[in-house]
Amino acid sequence: MRKMRMEICCLIVLDLLSFGKFLRSTSLDELPELFNILKGDMSIVGPRPLLVQYLPLYNEHQKRRHEVRPGLTGWAQVNGRNSISWEEKFDLDIEYVDNVSFLLDWKIIFLTFKKVIVREGINQEGQATMEFFTGSKVESIK
């Protein structure tokens, strides 16, 4: 009886993991952020919000990403998402901050739909999503 319960629990966990992988691969796990956009806390396009625990790890260059409202999608997401390094991601975020425009936002929205349909760049090699940010050794790549 106990073995049967364990098997049932394992099957439920596997189903949940499979469902979670499906949500992640289709980017449906991002839908709750639409509420934050409606509230005005986020924009549709802008640098993706990161964990609060990363704030003390930013250098001066990386802090510039906060000069615009965070977004559901951004320049770094359409140029590599989780398959690029943290430094590349921050540099792309700053490139967006320096060049923000209506046309760039529409380009990012179009490229986002393309990335979601093709399902590219979702996971970093050997990771479920992205490795944790531990700070940068260099001020900037550019």
Side-chain angles (χ1 to χ4, degrees), residues 80-123:
R81 203 169 175 181
N82 289 331
S83 63
I84 59 176
S85 72
W86 280 106
E87 284 74 21
E88 291 171 298
K89 192 176 286 198
F90 282 118
D91 284 339
L92 288 166
D93 285 345
I94 303 311
E95 185 178 327
Y96 173 79
V97 169
D98 290 340
N99 299 295
V100 66
S101 71
F102 181 74
L103 287 175
L104 180 58
D105 283 359
W106 276 106
K107 180 178 181 178
I108 292 170
I109 291 168
F110 171 76
L111 290 171
T112 298
F113 281 115
K114 181 180 170 215
K115 291 277 184 179
V116 168
I117 290 169
V118 175
R119 294 184 184 184
E120 110 187 334
I122 295 169
N123 297 327

Side-chain angles (χ1 to χ4, degrees), residues 27-123:
S27 297
L28 290 173
D29 61 326
E30 307 291 349
L31 287 179
E33 290 183 358
L34 290 176
F35 179 69
N36 291 324
I37 292 170
L38 293 174
K39 277 184 11 183
D41 294 338
M42 288 178 67
S43 176
I44 293 173
V45 178
R48 292 282 296 145
L50 298 176
L51 299 174
V52 176
Q53 66 200 43
Y54 293 164
L55 288 173
L57 303 174
Y58 295 158
N59 62 35
E60 291 306 311
H61 174 73
Q62 295 163 344
K63 287 179 185 176
R64 292 201 53 226
R65 70 190 311 276
H66 296 285
E67 293 176 11
V68 296
R69 192 170 290 178
L72 181 64
T73 186
W75 195 230
Q77 281 61 51
V78 298
N79 285 292
R81 203 169 175 181
N82 289 331
S83 63
I84 59 176
S85 72
W86 280 106
E87 284 74 21
E88 291 171 298
K89 192 176 286 198
F90 282 118
D91 284 339
L92 288 166
D93 285 345
I94 303 311
E95 185 178 327
Y96 173 79
V97 169
D98 290 340
N99 299 295
V100 66
S101 71
F102 181 74
L103 287 175
L104 180 58
D105 283 359
W106 276 106
K107 180 178 181 178
I108 292 170
I109 291 168
F110 171 76
L111 290 171
T112 298
F113 281 115
K114 181 180 170 215
K115 291 277 184 179
V116 168
I117 290 169
V118 175
R119 294 184 184 184
E120 110 187 334
I122 295 169
N123 297 327

Side-chain angles (χ1 to χ4, degrees), residues 51 53-54 57 86 124 127 130-135:
L51 299 174
Q53 66 200 43
Y54 293 164
L57 303 174
W86 280 106
Q124 190 176 42
Q127 301 281 330
M130 182 74 184
E131 66 186 13
F132 282 101
F133 178 63
T134 57

